[in-house]
Amino acid sequence: MAENEELTGPVSQEDIEAAEKYKNEANECFKKQHYNNAIELYSKAIEKNPKNAIYYGNRSISNLKLENFGYALSDATKAICLDKTYIKAYYRRAAANMSLGKYKQALMDFQYVTKVRPNDKDAKLKYNECNKIVMKIAFEKAIAVEKKEVNIADSINLDSITIEDEYVGPSLEDGKVTLKFVTELMKFYENQKKLHKKYAYKILIDVKAYLQKQPSLVDIKVDDDKKFTVCGDIHGQYYDLMNIFKLNGLPSESNPYLFNGDFVDRGSFSVECIFTLFSFKLLYPDHFFMSRGNHETLDMNRVYGFRGEVTSKYSSQMADLFTEVYHWLPLAHCINSRVLVMHGGLFSKDDITLDDIRKVERNREPPEDGIMCELLWSDPQPMEGRSPSRRGVGCQFGPDVTAAFLKTNKLDYVIRSHEVKNDGYEVAHDGMCITVFSAPNYCDTMGNLGAFITMNGKDLKPNFTKYEAVPHPDVKAMAYANSVLSMLY
């Protein structure tokens, strides 16, 4: 953040009044969910009066809404430095730390609030909920040593799972996904029905077996006269996923797709999304592709709802199996050796090659830095060079970084997702870096359009289709998310 936030010297009455005016304007933008505008105005307020903790606290919650967890953490910490009695700042710092999977740090803030406000029932509730997560993770780590050699996919006995007579949903044919199965499944899901767990487990086991044989960077060949579609984040918005297929046709050998990560979390129909996508992957393995996103990870699934949704609809064992499967999702795809597609972005180091991506050992949770982390988490920035990530993970990279990477690897441009865009897409870095985001009205609150990209194999020129959100059953976004996080936002 570029503004001057030094705390030296007195603040004039004129600046104090100007800062309050900016803050009030920012508050109105926040109420309208115009979070970027709110951040700009809170920043102006801070420039005028850098000694007011509330401005930092308000900017922190705005950054949380935009998933800028690194900035949110920094602002909340600044607010606490200015006013140690400003309780909201502790909650916002805790929310940022939880969003980054730093539960122990979040717990310390809750603990502090309960000490200074021993009779505050809300503070005690948040502390207890966060403490449960910390204790659960500690328990999981303790038993992980014993379970280290256990492969969940191999431990499931499908023959022992009985299909009840009253089940009337779609069925695999000879244990295989067919077009009939997928079309019946999509209609079944639209009617809010649940796939039988035997078929659900079989799909996961088969998808894992297939993905294990794939490289970390998958090469895709698109013929000159063929269309290819790239979709961005879906985030559990099943009915919007169905709308994409309505607008652009069902996946098939003549209508191939790449879904670029973040299939799950936040939206409350993540189970329906992921089983539909995995079914198409099994049906058309050479014409349907899926990249790993930063939300195909254990920490994100714990907080943002997918793990809770799977446990609610099926079991914690199936949630564990999903984690196992996600470890094998490819990290990037290269179309006709000319367009690289990854969920997040480029790298903190120069001279990274496609071969470096191919060599990444991906069967794990993402590390906190390095190629795998940055493929899932990084974001472009308009200025040249690199900056620390506003998310607190990965990096931000400028047009010069993109140009150098493309030149090194003889590529035309990159496609990435990972960020909400008002129009569902954004073309940046002189056309060399394209963002596509396919979840309209993200989290039922953002009001953005969704988009997908189509191109033909000959020129790979990106064409953009925008669309609005469609109605969905009355299950709100974040319905399965960790309860303490929903209390904090």
Side-chain angles (χ1 to χ4, degrees), residues 304-361:
Y304 288 103
F306 182 63
R307 191 169 181 85
E309 184 182 341
V310 176
T311 302
S312 173
K313 293 177 179 178
Y314 290 100
S315 66
S316 60
Q317 182 195 45
M318 185 178 287
D320 291 338
L321 179 54
F322 267 109
T323 299
E324 199 172 277
V325 174
Y326 287 162
H327 284 183
W328 289 105
L329 282 166
L331 303 177
H333 294 77
C334 193
I335 304 170
N336 288 359
S337 302
R338 289 169 55 195
V339 179
L340 184 68
V341 188
M342 80 294 279
H343 180 73
L346 298 181
F347 312 101
S348 56
K349 293 181 180 178
D350 293 327
D351 301 324
I352 299 294
T353 67
L354 298 185
D355 278 341
D356 291 326
I357 299 173
R358 289 187 179 96
K359 293 172 186 172
V360 173
E361 294 291 336

Side-chain angles (χ1 to χ4, degrees), residues 229-291:
T229 302
V230 180
C231 297
D233 304 41
I234 296 299
H235 275 300
Q237 297 184 198
Y238 179 75
Y239 296 85
D240 294 309
L241 173 62
M242 292 298 99
N243 189 41
I244 292 172
F245 293 153
K246 180 180 177 182
L247 293 170
N248 195 53
L250 285 178
S252 68
E253 292 182 355
S254 60
N255 192 27
Y257 278 81
L258 165 56
F259 279 83
N260 196 28
D262 282 14
F263 323 113
V264 300
D265 276 340
R266 291 192 176 268
S268 296
F269 304 94
S270 293
V271 163
E272 291 79 4
C273 284
I274 195 63
F275 277 122
T276 299
L277 295 173
F278 276 165
S279 294
F280 276 119
K281 181 62 190 170
L282 292 173
L283 184 60
Y284 304 118
D286 299 324
H287 298 86
F288 191 88
F289 304 92
M290 298 171 70
S291 296

Side-chain angles (χ1 to χ4, degrees), residues 200-215:
Y201 272 120
K202 182 67 164 68
I203 287 169
L204 289 175
I205 291 167
D206 287 354
V207 164
K208 183 190 172 189
Y210 179 86
L211 293 176
Q212 281 180 294
K213 299 172 186 175
Q214 299 305 296

Side-chain angles (χ1 to χ4, degrees), residues 90-364:
Y90 290 93
Y91 286 153
R92 284 160 193 174
R93 187 164 72 177
N97 273 317
M98 285 194 69
S99 300
L100 291 166
K102 298 177 179 178
Y103 306 107
K104 286 184 179 179
Q105 289 92 323
L107 187 63
M108 289 168 64
D109 281 332
F110 291 133
Q111 191 170 32
Y112 175 81
V113 175
T114 58
K115 282 182 179 178
V116 298
R117 288 189 172 182
N119 297 321
D120 188 329
K121 292 181 180 178
D122 181 60
K124 190 69 176 173
L125 176 64
K126 291 179 171 71
Y127 171 80
N128 288 337
E129 288 298 314
C130 188
N131 194 38
K132 285 179 191 174
I133 299 173
V134 172
M135 292 177 69
K136 184 177 181 183
I137 292 170
F139 175 73
E140 287 173 355
K141 285 182 178 177
I143 63 172
V145 177
E146 300 169 27
K147 293 170 63 178
K148 198 167 186 181
E149 301 305 318
V150 175
N151 183 309
I152 297 168
D154 292 343
S155 69
I156 293 165
N157 182 359
L158 290 171
D159 292 336
S160 69
I161 302 175
T162 303
I163 298 174
E164 301 79 8
D165 291 340
E166 56 267 28
Y167 177 72
V168 293
S171 302
L172 296 175
E173 297 176 30
D174 296 323
K176 302 293 184 184
V177 170
T178 61
L179 182 57
K180 178 175 180 285
F181 170 82
V182 184
T183 51
E184 287 181 0
L185 178 66
M186 289 187 292
K187 182 59 69 175
F188 200 58
Y189 279 155
E190 285 186 42
N191 293 324
Q192 294 183 271
K193 307 290 186 181
K194 187 175 77 170
L195 178 66
H196 196 279
K197 65 181 179 181
K198 181 166 187 170
Y199 300 133
Y201 272 120
K202 182 67 164 68
I203 287 169
L204 289 175
I205 291 167
D206 287 354
V207 164
K208 183 190 172 189
Y210 179 86
L211 293 176
Q212 281 180 294
K213 299 172 186 175
Q214 299 305 296
S216 291
L217 170 60
V218 174
D219 289 292
I220 299 173
K221 179 71 174 78
V222 182
D223 292 338
D224 284 358
D225 59 342
K226 297 295 185 182
K227 182 181 85 169
F228 190 80
T229 302
V230 180
C231 297
D233 304 41
I234 296 299
H235 275 300
Q237 297 184 198
Y238 179 75
Y239 296 85
D240 294 309
L241 173 62
M242 292 298 99
N243 189 41
I244 292 172
F245 293 153
K246 180 180 177 182
L247 293 170
N248 195 53
L250 285 178
S252 68
E253 292 182 355
S254 60
N255 192 27
Y257 278 81
L258 165 56
F259 279 83
N260 196 28
D262 282 14
F263 323 113
V264 300
D265 276 340
R266 291 192 176 268
S268 296
F269 304 94
S270 293
V271 163
E272 291 79 4
C273 284
I274 195 63
F275 277 122
T276 299
L277 295 173
F278 276 165
S279 294
F280 276 119
K281 181 62 190 170
L282 292 173
L283 184 60
Y284 304 118
D286 299 324
H287 298 86
F288 191 88
F289 304 92
M290 298 171 70
S291 296
R292 189 175 187 180
N294 66 302
H295 276 267
E296 279 70 56
T297 54
L298 180 57
D299 275 340
M300 292 292 108
N301 293 166
R302 273 196 188 109
V303 174
Y304 288 103
F306 182 63
R307 191 169 181 85
E309 184 182 341
V310 176
T311 302
S312 173
K313 293 177 179 178
Y314 290 100
S315 66
S316 60
Q317 182 195 45
M318 185 178 287
D320 291 338
L321 179 54
F322 267 109
T323 299
E324 199 172 277
V325 174
Y326 287 162
H327 284 183
W328 289 105
L329 282 166
L331 303 177
H333 294 77
C334 193
I335 304 170
N336 288 359
S337 302
R338 289 169 55 195
V339 179
L340 184 68
V341 188
M342 80 294 279
H343 180 73
L346 298 181
F347 312 101
S348 56
K349 293 181 180 178
D350 293 327
D351 301 324
I352 299 294
T353 67
L354 298 185
D355 278 341
D356 291 326
I357 299 173
R358 289 187 179 96
K359 293 172 186 172
V360 173
E361 294 291 336
R362 70 185 187 279
N363 180 25
R364 55 176 172 164

